[in-house]
């Protein structure tokens, strides 16, 4: 009986070991990802403790694009081609994500990102620009616009975080794992592709539009050396509530939101529209958390109409 118990325990341990080994993913060296995912428009800038990767495309008035948590500048692929016909498009891999990777201090607060945006503009001698941000990028964008109104021409917010609960990041499996003391260290190793796929399906209203290429790219960026540690650090960052800054935004503002957003509910949009003076709002039926990726043609045309208009703030 005892021998049988030993066999059962040994077999169970063996199965768990095999299962764990199956789920473990190694880091991908930064150089390998740069070789695969850099483009002729890629640039690198050492700033605020990070080797910031960004793309510089087109000519004209600058527009800076900021992605959300666990995303990369590639989320703007559907916008950049159209925007760059008439604008200088600068899209960033925020520190902790994409090809930029982990910064030296493991600081990933809204205040850090807003300061980085200011220093980025200064480094490129950009006095004023349009700013567009999705999710986390939207929260950074409105924070920056409130503190530096003289640097922002127009503001585009896409499902920005900050209303339902500014510090509630418990919205998906990796997010939950990163905030759970017992599990968060395992996230440095156990990040199979299917976890990334599940999270991406949550941010699409129609997940049939999600491609294998998008899943592969997101998974590869997560596995970039240092990014999983940075993701855990970001998920455990307690941001200062900056919602009061919405009332201080002076730039003409356009808010885009997917009605089927499962991460940040579309009901939050009313607070942004009401609090930012003169803000315009458009909801997209059936779209999820990243409508600029799910509905690129429609959303970029709406953005262009807003950018090209002579919009003035109204009471």
């Amino acid at each position: 009986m005892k021998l049988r118990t030993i066999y059962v325990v040994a077999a169970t341990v063996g199965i768990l070991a095999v299962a764990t080994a199956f789920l473990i993913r190694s880091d991908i060296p930064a150089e390998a990802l740069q070789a695969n995912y850099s483009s002729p428009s890629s640039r690198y800038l050492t700033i605020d403790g990070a080797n910031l990767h960004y793309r510089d495309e087109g000519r004209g008035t600058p527009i800076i694009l900021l992605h959300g948590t666990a995303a990369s500048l590639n989320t703007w692929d559907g916008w950049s081609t159209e925007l760059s016909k008439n604008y200088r498009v600068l899209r960033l891999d925020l520190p902790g994500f994409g090809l930029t990777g982990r910064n030296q201090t493991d600081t990933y607060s809204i205040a850090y990102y807003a300061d980085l945006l200011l220093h980025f503009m200064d480094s490129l001698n950009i006095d004023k620009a349009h700013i567009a941000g999705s999710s986390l990028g939207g929260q950074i964008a409105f924070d920056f616009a409130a503190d530096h109104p003289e640097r922002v021409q127009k503001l585009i917010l896409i499902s920005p975080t900050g209303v339902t609960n500014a510090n509630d990041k418990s919205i998906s499996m990796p997010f939950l794992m990163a905030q759970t003391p017992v599990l968060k260290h395992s996230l440095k190793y156990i990040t199979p592709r299917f976890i990334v796929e599940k999270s991406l399906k949550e941010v699409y209203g129609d997940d049939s539009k999600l491609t294998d290429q998008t899943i592969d790219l997101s998974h590869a960026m997560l596995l970039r050396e240092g990014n999983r540690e940075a993701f855990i650090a970001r998920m455990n960052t307690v941001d200062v509530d900056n919602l009061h800054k919405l009332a201080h935004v002076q730039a003409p503002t356009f808010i885009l939101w997917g009605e089927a957003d499962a991460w940040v509910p579309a009901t939050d949009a009313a607070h942004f529209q009401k609090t930012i003076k003169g803000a315009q709002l458009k909801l997209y039926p059936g779209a999820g958390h990243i409508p600029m990726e799910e509905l690129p043609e429609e959303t970029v045309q709406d953005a262009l109409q807003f950018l090209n208009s002579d919009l003035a703030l109204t009471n």
Side-chain angles (χ1 to χ4, degrees):
M1 189 67 176
K2 289 183 179 180
L3 186 60
R4 182 179 179 183
T5 301
I6 292 172
Y7 285 149
V8 170
V9 171
T12 302
V13 170
I15 291 170
L16 289 174
V18 171
T20 301
F22 175 75
L23 297 174
I24 287 175
R25 298 295 182 272
S26 300
D27 280 347
I28 299 176
E31 294 78 9
L33 286 176
Q34 289 171 8
N36 288 333
Y37 293 107
S38 287
S39 80
S41 62
S42 287
R43 307 286 185 271
Y44 290 87
L45 176 65
T46 301
I47 183 172
D48 291 359
N51 185 28
L52 184 71
H53 171 242
Y54 67 99
R55 290 185 184 176
D56 192 342
E57 301 156 298
R59 291 184 178 182
T61 301
I63 178 168
I64 300 173
L65 308 178
L66 307 173
H67 65 76
T69 301
S72 70
L73 58 74
N74 301 92
T75 196
W76 300 103
D77 284 350
W79 275 31
S80 60
T81 300
E82 285 301 312
L83 289 176
S84 62
K85 291 177 181 178
N86 296 292
Y87 294 90
R88 181 186 180 188
V89 181
L90 299 148
R91 40 183 175 146
L92 284 58
D93 274 338
L94 294 171
F97 308 107
L99 296 182
T100 295
R102 194 176 185 177
N103 66 23
Q104 293 178 359
T105 61
D106 261 354
T107 301
Y108 307 103
S109 64
I110 298 297
Y112 166 81
Y113 286 128
D115 283 344
L116 177 131
L117 178 55
L118 177 64
H119 300 155
F120 175 76
M121 292 177 68
D122 288 344
S123 296
L124 272 62
N125 296 314
I126 296 173
D127 293 327
K128 201 167 188 178
H130 302 306
I131 309 291
S134 163
S135 193
L136 166 66
Q139 189 171 4
I140 297 165
F142 78 69
D143 188 283
F144 180 85
D147 287 350
H148 305 283
E150 75 286 355
R151 308 299 293 269
V152 182
Q153 287 186 272
K154 291 185 179 181
L155 181 66
I156 298 176
L157 304 176
I158 303 176
S159 304
T161 53
V163 173
T164 302
N165 185 331
N167 291 299
D168 182 8
K169 307 182 185 75
S170 305
I171 48 184
S172 186
M173 186 187 300
F175 292 67
L176 288 167
M177 290 176 66
Q179 295 175 91
T180 305
V182 177
L183 297 176
K184 67 180 182 180
H185 296 296
S186 67
L187 193 61
K188 299 176 186 178
Y189 313 102
I190 301 176
T191 47
R193 184 181 182 277
F194 72 80
I195 288 182
V196 174
E197 181 178 2
K198 181 179 183 298
S199 295
L200 287 172
K201 284 183 176 180
E202 291 173 6
V203 297
Y204 274 68
D206 178 3
D207 59 29
S208 69
K209 296 179 180 179
L210 179 62
T211 66
D212 286 338
Q213 182 182 8
T214 297
I215 299 169
D216 290 341
L217 184 147
S218 296
H219 191 217
M221 293 300 177
L222 177 62
L223 298 182
R224 182 211 184 275
E225 55 184 322
N227 274 2
R228 284 179 284 187
E229 289 89 345
F231 177 75
I232 293 168
R234 169 60 199 157
M235 289 300 98
N236 288 278
T237 296
V238 178
D239 290 307
V240 175
D241 185 357
N242 63 350
L243 283 176
H244 64 280
K245 292 187 177 183
L246 292 174
H248 301 290
V249 172
Q250 298 179 23
T253 302
F254 181 36
I255 304 163
L256 297 76
W257 218 296
E259 287 188 345
D261 192 334
W263 279 16
V264 184
T267 51
D268 284 0
H271 182 85
F272 282 89
Q273 185 181 27
K274 178 181 178 180
T275 311
I276 299 175
K277 185 179 180 181
Q280 297 182 14
L281 169 65
K282 180 164 183 181
L283 301 175
Y284 295 88
H289 186 56
I290 47 175
M292 76 290 180
E293 189 171 322
E294 190 173 354
L295 302 171
E297 295 87 0
E298 180 179 355
T299 53
V300 75
Q301 290 305 317
D302 290 337
L304 282 167
Q305 183 176 357
F306 167 71
L307 292 172
N308 295 334
S309 67
D310 294 326
L311 181 69
L313 288 176
T314 59
N315 292 325

